[in-house]
Structures are given as structure tokens and as C-alpha cells.
Amino acid sequence: MQMHNTIRDEVLLDVRSLETHFYGEESVTHALGGISFQIMKGETVGVVGESGCGKSVTALSILRLLPKLTARTVGGEVRFHGQDLLKLSEQEMRKIRGGKIAMIFQDPMTSLNPVYTVGHQIAEAIQIHTGVSRSSALTEAEEMLRFVRIADPERRVSNYPYEMSGGMRQRVMIAMALACSPELLIADEPTTALDVTIQAQILRLIVDLKERTGTAVMFITHDLGVVAETCQRVIVMYAGRIVEQASVMDLFARPMHPYTQALMHSVPDRRRGRQSRLPEIPGIVPNLRDPIIGCSFAPRCPFAIDICREKTPVLRDIESGHAAACWRSEEIVCA
Amino acid sequence: MRMSGPLLKVEDLTKHYPIGAGFLRKPFSAVRAVEDVSFSVEAGETLCIVGESGCGKSTVARLLMRLVDPTGGRVLIDGTDIAGLKKHELRAYRRRMQMVFQDPYSSLNPRLTAGQIITEPVENYERLSRKQREALAADLLHKVGMSPEMMHRLPSELSGGQRQRLGIARALALKPSIIIADEAVSALDVSVQAQILNLLMDLQQQLGIAFVFISHDLGVVEHLGHRVAVMYLGRIVELATCEALFAQPVHPYTEALIASAPVPDPTRVRLEAPVAGEVPSPINPPDGCAFHPRCPLAVERCRIEVPPLVPMTDGRVVACHVRAPASGLQAQSAAERDCPTVRLAGANESIRKSEKPNIT
């Protein structure tokens, strides 16, 4: 395994060769093609990639929240504190979800129940996982609202979701997720639906709370700017596989996979001059229903040679703590 | 050809949506979606409108297309006010202005082929033979970088980027002089977004089309725009050239907006969010300057009086009592004299360069 020389010594989450398939009427989509990574205690790890790269499926596979009829994790292990979550019973898994591992979603409107007050919903999570009385759970809910810096929490605790703005609802989601002091928080595009000034507030809040509580965060996003501002380590995904993994500093200073490089270049950047042509990534993302031979990025890659089209590159350390799944990373970085 | 003057001129455009109105019942209040918005667009220019949700930028787009009727103000195309035109008179002007929408999924009819979708606007105005239609479709597809065989495909058989290209081809069909793009790249992945932005810039160069480009993404706006209007709660608070606005924002809201955008540079450490609070409701906007409850520079006057748009020496207009006091063209120097170092927290103090990684 790579990435042993990271920040903390204690591994919290150890994902090994995780493989998830989606089943259509006539075809099987290989949404996750055997990914392996670790998250250390208290670490913030960003998972970036474009639509369909498997970043959300990774989160759902870890928490075993995939749609039962159409998807299945067919291989691999998800070790949390050394225990394989994929082997737990549904009942045991329920204790983990929302307890030791919490998740916040992109859309704070649809992930809150519209017919209960936010205080009720936070208190419910606290009661289920800690077994305290209803009244003390409600007091704690109010405390959590104060913790996520909602003004006037005494009043807000009895608000319904529709009475709150998008930014405030996302704060409620965070309060609910942190209410049971999870060791791992999975945040799936938590600020994508928010305005930039509110996004800046929520990102700051997540970073602050993470520092205060020591919770590890798995931060799923498509926005490289968000990753740069919040994460310590980054995993870049493409077509259901991890293509690069590095500390945030190394990744932005020396991206080693051609896809990461292309992704960074296609974002408009004032340093490259206005009105200039943006470098495009030619072609489209491969269809994950067809078997992929060789590197999945090879058809779009400017550096692809014969070996790239024939053999699948494995994720390997190019430098200490900086891994890439590319046959030519050494040459590309030097070039 | 046009003689002189701007292609599109908007004067004091206002739109209120009544609330609580019913049969024989007067509305008791209104959503003030757009208030006194004025700007102009020259031929071949890109004017961007930025702002957060609810600032009225999409309502402006709909007003320009006259998809909704304004409560007040004028929209002049080559000097003709389209706000007052009747439906049949409007038809001629609709050819001049076309629109590209945000969502490439819901803005295309799923039952029509790509060719039918992009030639439909022309068939609305003139009869086409089958041959003409195919030639037109092939030409339009070529313009947006797609192969002619695509004309027989259905939208469901195309990728998100290809669909957005179709949306653009459809807008080009009537050879408009101005295209209004409402968040046209917001739903796309960055690699596809780059393709579409390149396409828009190419089209502008080749065909001299003007764009009104509405977006919340400052990176995209800075890259593409010639001039930018920043809107907050229905009003323009600053309008400047792209270079000037991003190099030195004058309105505190512009400054906060720019400072809030995440930057893909991990050596930059943000200590606090640039601006606290949230956008107030347009039903009951604050008195005075709408930004004053969130503004660190607000003074008494900001709470009482709506600041007018004041022209500055560099040609921009700014609506701010503190940074752009209404004493005409001396405004810039006054702003510099009064607050030479007062910058918002987000702009400077809360961001510092760190040499070592931010590892705790």
C-alpha cells in the first residue's frame, strides 16, 4: 500500500480494492474499478473528479447506501478501525451510520425532512445514537445549532427547513452530522448548491469544526479551488479509478497524471490571461459499461503510447507520498 | 447596418412580482426582482452580469428577451423600445436576440432530432425545403464543432457538452446580433466547460456576436467578459471593465464576492469568510443600500439612502456612499482619500501566503 508516510500514524479508514457495479437491463456498469486508499485519524482528504468518475459511489459504497436493486459492491474491503464494514449486519451498520461515520449531502433542502422542525431532526439523531432523553437531546440540538454558528439558536431550533435559507440548512445538516461526534465525516459536494459568499462561510465552518473536534473529513467535490482551501491530501478519480493521490501542496505544485494536469489547465485562471483559449480535454469520458483495455484516459491523453493502450497502469509511488497511475509520470513531470 | 449608438440599451429596467394578488384583490406586497437597472451592450461585446441567487440576473435575461414584461423602464434594440411592442411587432426583434439556457437537458425537446431542434427557429419565420433544412442544420452543426451526421440523433443520445453545443447552434440559427446566455456553462464539468467557453469566444470573433453572459462563476466571467455588471438584490452595484473590476473592485460587495471565490492554490490560506450574513429577502429589502447589513464599511447614511450609481474617473460606475460618494467625477479621488487602506477582511488580511503546508 502506498501513502504510509502521511500525517498521522493511525489509519482510520482503509479501503482496499473496492469494486462496485451497477446493473442495467442488459449491461453492467463498472462504477468503481477496485480503488484503494486510506484516511488517517483527523485528516481531511479531498476526492475530486468530474461527473461519473465514481466519487459519490465511493462514499455510498463505504456507507453501504447504494440502491439495493441496481447496485452492488462486488469486491474489496472497507476497514474502519480495522473492522470490515462490508461484513457487518445491517443492524450493526446502522449504528455506524450517523454515529461513527456521518455524511452531509449536496442539497440541504431534500436531505432534511420538511415536516419536522430542525431541532426535532437533530435531536432524533442524538437520541438514536446516545440514548439520552428527549429533552436533553433537544437541549443538545440547540447547542449544536450554536456550535455551527446559527444566530439565535433558541428560536431557530423550532424552525422548519422551509423557514431557513440554503446556507442555514447546510449548517443544520452539519450540526446533525456532528451531533454524535463522528470520527469520520463524509461531505459530498456540501457547498455546490450554495452561493460563493455562503460557500466561503460554510467551508470555513467545516475547517474550523474539524480542527476543534478532530474529526477526519472525506471531502467530495468537483471544484479544485474548494480542495485547495480545505484539504490536506487529495485523491483524483477518473472513470471509476484513482489516478493520482498526493498531499494538496504536491498535487497543485507538481501534478503527475496527465488527467490531473489537464483538469487544472481547463479551469479559467487569471494567471494565464483573459480571453485566451482554454486548453480542452479532447474526447469524452469512457463508457464504463464497456471493458476498458489499458489506461482509461489513454484515448484522450496527449502523452499516450502503445503500452498505455494495452496495459492498465497501477497506482504507484512516483515520489514519496505522491502516487499516480500512469506509465509515463516520471517523463511527464520532468518535461 | 447600424449607424451608431449601442446595439442594446437598457434604461431603468424594473420588475416587481406582486404577492398575494388574486381575483378582485390587490397585491399587498411585491418581490422587487429588478430595480432601476441600466446598461448598454455594443456590437461584438461581452457584457457579463454576476451576482448570487436572487440578485435578479436571470430576471434581467428574461426581461431582455421579453419573456416577462417589465414593470418599468425601457429595453432598446438599435433605438427601438421592445418593451412597448405588440406581439407581432416583437417577432422581428426576437430574431435579433437569442438565448442559451443553463440546463442542456431540459431546454431541448427530447422528441425532436438535433437537426429539427436547431432549424426550428428558422422555420418559425420562413418555409424551408428538406434540402435547405439539411444544409442549414449541417452548417449550424459545423459552426458549433459537431459533425453533420449528428443531425439525426436525439438529445438523449448526446453528451452534456454536445447538448449545450446544440443549444448554441439553435441560438445561432437566426443569425442574431446578440445572444443572452443564462448560466450557459454552469451545469457542465470543467473540461467540457472549457470547450464551450472556447466555442463562444470563437463565435464572437468569427461572427461578431454580442453576448450578455449571466453567471455566478467569477473565474468564467473574468476569462470571457469585456465588461461586468455586479448585481445585488435587484440593483447594479458596480459596472466596470473586466480588467478594472478584478484588478481593483470598488464596491465592498464586489470585493467580498471576488474574495469569496475559492482559488485553486493551496498556499493561500483563508482565515475567515470574507463576508458574514446572507442575502436579505427581495420582498422586504433593507432601507438604504441593500448591502449595508453585511457591509463592514457601512455608515449612517447607508442605512437611510439608496446610493446612486456614480461614475468614476476610470469610467466605471459604483453605487456606494463610502467608496463612491455622489460628488460627480471626483468620486474616485474622494474614495481614495477617504479610505485608502480600508479593505474588506477577506481581500487582504484574512488571506496570507503560507510557506509550509497547512497540516495540523
Side-chain angles (χ1 to χ4, degrees), chain A residues 295-315:
Chain A
C295 171
S296 55
F297 190 60
R300 309 174 73 186
C301 179
F303 304 105
I305 50 173
D306 287 345
I307 189 172
C308 305
R309 290 179 272 269
E310 287 153 14
K311 285 176 77 179
T312 307
V314 290
L315 193 66

Side-chain angles (χ1 to χ4, degrees), chain A residues 38-75:
Chain A
Q38 295 179 332
I39 295 177
M40 307 295 152
K41 259 193 148 169
E43 190 187 23
T44 306
V45 178
V47 180
V48 280
E50 299 182 284
S51 335
C53 72
K55 51 194 194 302
S56 293
V57 176
T58 305
L60 297 177
S61 301
I62 290 170
L63 281 174
R64 289 171 47 188
L65 288 171
L66 293 161
K68 286 211 167 48
L69 292 174
T70 53
R72 202 164 65 222
T73 296
V74 294

Side-chain angles (χ1 to χ4, degrees), chain A residues 189-231:
Chain A
E189 304 266 10
T191 59
T192 307
L194 305 176
D195 281 320
V196 276
T197 60
I198 309 299
Q199 164 169 286
Q201 295 170 8
I202 298 290
L203 291 179
R204 198 53 248 169
L205 180 73
I206 292 175
V207 171
D208 281 354
L209 296 184
K210 190 229 125 188
E211 273 163 21
R212 277 164 64 185
T213 57
T215 304
V217 182
M218 177 173 158
F219 205 113
I220 297 170
T221 177
H222 68 283
D223 188 330
L224 289 165
V226 170
V227 167
E229 288 196 1
T230 53
C231 299

Side-chain angles (χ1 to χ4, degrees), chain A residues 7-8 50-51 165 195-197 199 201 204 225 228-229 232 249 252 268 270 274-278 280-281, chain B residues 52-53 189 191 195 198 201-202 222-225 242 262-264 266 270-271 275-278 294 359-360:
Chain A
I7 314 123
R8 303 287 168 100
E50 299 182 284
S51 335
S165 67
D195 281 320
V196 276
T197 60
Q199 164 169 286
Q201 295 170 8
R204 198 53 248 169
E229 288 196 1
Q232 292 160 337
M249 290 294 166
F252 281 88
R270 60 174 61 181
R274 303 184 340 92
Q275 298 277 329
S276 61
R277 277 191 77 79
L278 294 162
E280 298 174 5
I281 305 179
Chain B
E52 301 181 280
S53 12
D189 275 323
S191 66
Q195 296 171 9
N198 284 340
M201 289 187 290
D202 289 348
E222 184 176 13
H223 192 81
L224 191 80
C242 245
V263 177
R270 190 192 293 281
L271 297 178
V275 60
E278 302 187 350
R294 304 173 76 188
I359 288 164
T360 43

